[in-house]
Amino acid sequence: MNILDKHPWLDLNGNIVEDIREYVTCRAKKYPLHIGTDTQPHADTTTVVTTICFRDSGKGALVVYQRSNVSPFPTMRDRLFYETMVSLELGDVLYNMCGVRATIHADVNPKKGALSNSTVDAIMGMVRGMGYEVLVKPEAWAADIADMYTR
């Protein structure tokens, strides 16, 4: 079972996407593909939301998302690397399925003083090293969409 099958995929109205493979393959050759993941820690669990977004220039984006819960992370650094690994895992699955490389949106901030600043170089290097383009805050809009669905 890969990441596509672990949990249901929903559109932004909360409707289940019955065939995520068909949804992706129908759009992947037509629109640029973007993936973002965000997490929200809670007392005894962490909510994880991953988005698959197709950017239609000038018209917005087509978005589906998947929500799951995992055990809490000991540090924010661990959480940020987990988010990136989930996005990369999905990117690999989609690349193998339809031959299109996604842009990975990492929920890290290059601004000095930002909590996630210490991980920016490592996460960007990891994503690029895996053969993907990477966007970080404030351009990481697919991760921002994921954030909206973590609550």
Side-chain angles (χ1 to χ4, degrees):
M1 177 184 307
N2 68 39
I3 193 168
L4 285 178
D5 304 315
K6 287 182 180 176
H7 302 282
W9 288 89
L10 306 170
D11 66 20
L12 295 183
N13 291 322
N15 300 312
I16 293 176
V17 176
E18 295 297 334
D19 189 345
I20 190 64
R21 285 167 179 77
E22 179 184 357
Y23 182 92
V24 169
T25 54
C26 286
R27 291 161 179 81
K29 305 270 187 211
K30 190 174 180 183
Y31 304 109
L33 173 60
H34 301 266
I35 296 172
T37 300
D38 194 37
T39 56
Q40 180 67 45
H42 305 286
D44 58 349
T45 189
T46 299
T47 300
V48 181
V49 173
T50 300
T51 60
I52 299 173
C53 306
F54 296 96
R55 186 68 188 244
D56 188 358
S57 186
K59 296 182 182 176
L62 304 168
V63 178
V64 293
Y65 69 95
Q66 182 185 68
R67 180 184 292 132
S68 62
N69 289 299
V70 297
S71 298
F73 294 91
T75 67
M76 183 180 65
R77 180 179 178 87
D78 292 336
R79 219 173 81 223
L80 293 172
F81 274 95
Y82 179 82
E83 291 173 7
T84 305
M85 289 304 301
V86 168
S87 291
L88 286 168
E89 177 186 357
L90 179 59
D92 283 347
V93 168
L94 297 182
Y95 177 72
N96 290 329
M97 192 172 78
C98 56
V100 174
R101 285 231 183 249
T103 298
I104 303 297
H105 294 229
D107 192 30
V108 294
N109 195 333
K111 191 163 80 171
K112 294 280 186 211
L115 291 175
S116 60
N117 175 270
S118 65
T119 64
V120 169
D121 290 338
I123 286 177
M124 289 179 70
M126 181 173 68
V127 173
R128 288 180 178 145
M130 300 275 299
Y132 293 91
E133 291 184 38
V134 61
L135 293 176
V136 298
K137 288 182 177 181
E139 286 84 25
W141 53 267
D144 290 342
I145 294 170
D147 174 68
M148 294 187 309
Y149 291 89
T150 59
R151 292 161 186 23

mmCIF file of all heavy atoms in Angstrom, residues 20 25 35 51 54 62 84 90 92-93 109 116 121-122 145-146:
data_model
loop_
_atom_site.group_PDB
_atom_site.id
_atom_site.type_symbol
_atom_site.label_atom_id
_atom_site.label_comp_id
_atom_site.label_asym_id
_atom_site.label_seq_id
_atom_site.Cartn_x
_atom_site.Cartn_y
_atom_site.Cartn_z
ATOM 1 N N ILE A 20 -8.291 8.441 -7.176
ATOM 2 C CA ILE A 20 -7.233 9.450 -7.142
ATOM 3 C C ILE A 20 -6.255 9.267 -8.292
ATOM 4 O O ILE A 20 -5.733 10.242 -8.832
ATOM 5 C CB ILE A 20 -6.510 9.451 -5.772
ATOM 6 C CG1 ILE A 20 -5.575 10.660 -5.655
ATOM 7 C CG2 ILE A 20 -5.764 8.154 -5.543
ATOM 8 C CD1 ILE A 20 -6.253 11.993 -5.674
ATOM 9 N N THR A 25 -3.818 11.478 -13.140
ATOM 10 C CA THR A 25 -3.332 11.260 -14.507
ATOM 11 C C THR A 25 -4.070 12.129 -15.522
ATOM 12 O O THR A 25 -3.480 12.556 -16.515
ATOM 13 C CB THR A 25 -3.405 9.772 -14.924
ATOM 14 O OG1 THR A 25 -4.730 9.287 -14.738
ATOM 15 C CG2 THR A 25 -2.424 8.938 -14.140
ATOM 16 N N ILE A 35 3.004 19.768 -4.676
ATOM 17 C CA ILE A 35 2.684 18.971 -3.493
ATOM 18 C C ILE A 35 3.137 19.734 -2.258
ATOM 19 O O ILE A 35 4.241 20.278 -2.217
ATOM 20 C CB ILE A 35 3.408 17.604 -3.537
ATOM 21 C CG1 ILE A 35 2.919 16.779 -4.725
ATOM 22 C CG2 ILE A 35 3.210 16.847 -2.231
ATOM 23 C CD1 ILE A 35 3.718 15.513 -4.964
ATOM 24 N N THR A 51 -1.334 17.928 0.293
ATOM 25 C CA THR A 51 -2.123 18.387 -0.849
ATOM 26 C C THR A 51 -1.464 17.983 -2.161
ATOM 27 O O THR A 51 -0.241 17.939 -2.268
ATOM 28 C CB THR A 51 -2.275 19.924 -0.857
ATOM 29 O OG1 THR A 51 -0.988 20.532 -0.929
ATOM 30 C CG2 THR A 51 -3.024 20.416 0.363
ATOM 31 N N PHE A 54 -2.893 21.260 -8.741
ATOM 32 C CA PHE A 54 -2.615 21.508 -10.155
ATOM 33 C C PHE A 54 -2.883 22.978 -10.405
ATOM 34 O O PHE A 54 -4.010 23.437 -10.260
ATOM 35 C CB PHE A 54 -3.493 20.630 -11.042
ATOM 36 C CG PHE A 54 -3.212 19.176 -10.871
ATOM 37 C CD1 PHE A 54 -3.982 18.401 -10.024
ATOM 38 C CD2 PHE A 54 -2.152 18.580 -11.543
ATOM 39 C CE1 PHE A 54 -3.719 17.054 -9.851
ATOM 40 C CE2 PHE A 54 -1.876 17.227 -11.377
ATOM 41 C CZ PHE A 54 -2.654 16.461 -10.534
ATOM 42 N N LEU A 62 -6.475 23.492 -8.805
ATOM 43 C CA LEU A 62 -7.319 22.345 -8.482
ATOM 44 C C LEU A 62 -6.598 21.613 -7.352
ATOM 45 O O LEU A 62 -5.413 21.305 -7.476
ATOM 46 C CB LEU A 62 -7.461 21.427 -9.700
ATOM 47 C CG LEU A 62 -8.004 22.084 -10.964
ATOM 48 C CD1 LEU A 62 -7.820 21.153 -12.151
ATOM 49 C CD2 LEU A 62 -9.462 22.434 -10.780
ATOM 50 N N THR A 84 8.369 16.989 4.872
ATOM 51 C CA THR A 84 9.090 16.959 3.592
ATOM 52 C C THR A 84 9.174 15.544 3.043
ATOM 53 O O THR A 84 8.982 15.328 1.839
ATOM 54 C CB THR A 84 10.495 17.569 3.763
ATOM 55 O OG1 THR A 84 10.356 18.885 4.325
ATOM 56 C CG2 THR A 84 11.214 17.660 2.432
ATOM 57 N N LEU A 90 5.147 11.052 -1.850
ATOM 58 C CA LEU A 90 4.037 11.240 -2.780
ATOM 59 C C LEU A 90 4.555 11.666 -4.152
ATOM 60 O O LEU A 90 4.076 11.184 -5.181
ATOM 61 C CB LEU A 90 3.043 12.258 -2.235
ATOM 62 C CG LEU A 90 1.846 12.563 -3.124
ATOM 63 C CD1 LEU A 90 1.023 11.301 -3.413
ATOM 64 C CD2 LEU A 90 0.968 13.636 -2.472
ATOM 65 N N ASP A 92 7.345 10.884 -5.565
ATOM 66 C CA ASP A 92 7.877 9.694 -6.242
ATOM 67 C C ASP A 92 6.765 8.803 -6.777
ATOM 68 O O ASP A 92 6.840 8.300 -7.895
ATOM 69 C CB ASP A 92 8.775 8.892 -5.299
ATOM 70 C CG ASP A 92 10.149 9.509 -5.120
ATOM 71 O OD1 ASP A 92 10.530 10.414 -5.895
ATOM 72 O OD2 ASP A 92 10.870 9.073 -4.191
ATOM 73 N N VAL A 93 5.720 8.599 -5.984
ATOM 74 C CA VAL A 93 4.590 7.775 -6.431
ATOM 75 C C VAL A 93 3.944 8.389 -7.674
ATOM 76 O O VAL A 93 3.681 7.695 -8.657
ATOM 77 C CB VAL A 93 3.546 7.590 -5.299
ATOM 78 C CG1 VAL A 93 2.250 7.008 -5.829
ATOM 79 C CG2 VAL A 93 4.118 6.714 -4.187
ATOM 80 N N ASN A 109 10.872 28.478 6.560
ATOM 81 C CA ASN A 109 10.992 29.916 6.323
ATOM 82 C C ASN A 109 12.467 30.330 6.316
ATOM 83 O O ASN A 109 13.158 30.144 7.318
ATOM 84 C CB ASN A 109 10.236 30.668 7.412
ATOM 85 C CG ASN A 109 10.008 32.107 7.073
ATOM 86 O OD1 ASN A 109 10.755 32.724 6.330
ATOM 87 N ND2 ASN A 109 8.956 32.674 7.641
ATOM 88 N N SER A 116 11.654 27.910 11.820
ATOM 89 C CA SER A 116 12.063 26.850 10.897
ATOM 90 C C SER A 116 13.322 27.201 10.102
ATOM 91 O O SER A 116 13.797 26.392 9.301
ATOM 92 C CB SER A 116 10.919 26.527 9.940
ATOM 93 O OG SER A 116 10.570 27.671 9.180
ATOM 94 N N ASP A 121 18.167 25.104 4.715
ATOM 95 C CA ASP A 121 19.203 24.609 3.807
ATOM 96 C C ASP A 121 19.162 23.093 3.683
ATOM 97 O O ASP A 121 19.267 22.547 2.586
ATOM 98 C CB ASP A 121 20.593 25.067 4.258
ATOM 99 C CG ASP A 121 20.799 26.568 4.079
ATOM 100 O OD1 ASP A 121 20.088 27.180 3.249
ATOM 101 O OD2 ASP A 121 21.677 27.134 4.771
ATOM 102 N N ALA A 122 18.999 22.403 4.802
ATOM 103 C CA ALA A 122 18.976 20.935 4.777
ATOM 104 C C ALA A 122 17.762 20.419 4.009
ATOM 105 O O ALA A 122 17.871 19.497 3.194
ATOM 106 C CB ALA A 122 18.983 20.382 6.196
ATOM 107 N N ILE A 145 -2.031 25.736 1.818
ATOM 108 C CA ILE A 145 -3.354 25.115 1.654
ATOM 109 C C ILE A 145 -3.481 23.934 2.596
ATOM 110 O O ILE A 145 -4.515 23.761 3.256
ATOM 111 C CB ILE A 145 -3.597 24.697 0.193
ATOM 112 C CG1 ILE A 145 -3.687 25.939 -0.712
ATOM 113 C CG2 ILE A 145 -4.884 23.867 0.064
ATOM 114 C CD1 ILE A 145 -3.695 25.629 -2.200
ATOM 115 N N ALA A 146 -2.430 23.113 2.702
ATOM 116 C CA ALA A 146 -2.456 21.987 3.640
ATOM 117 C C ALA A 146 -2.709 22.490 5.060
ATOM 118 O O ALA A 146 -3.493 21.887 5.810
ATOM 119 C CB ALA A 146 -1.151 21.193 3.557
#
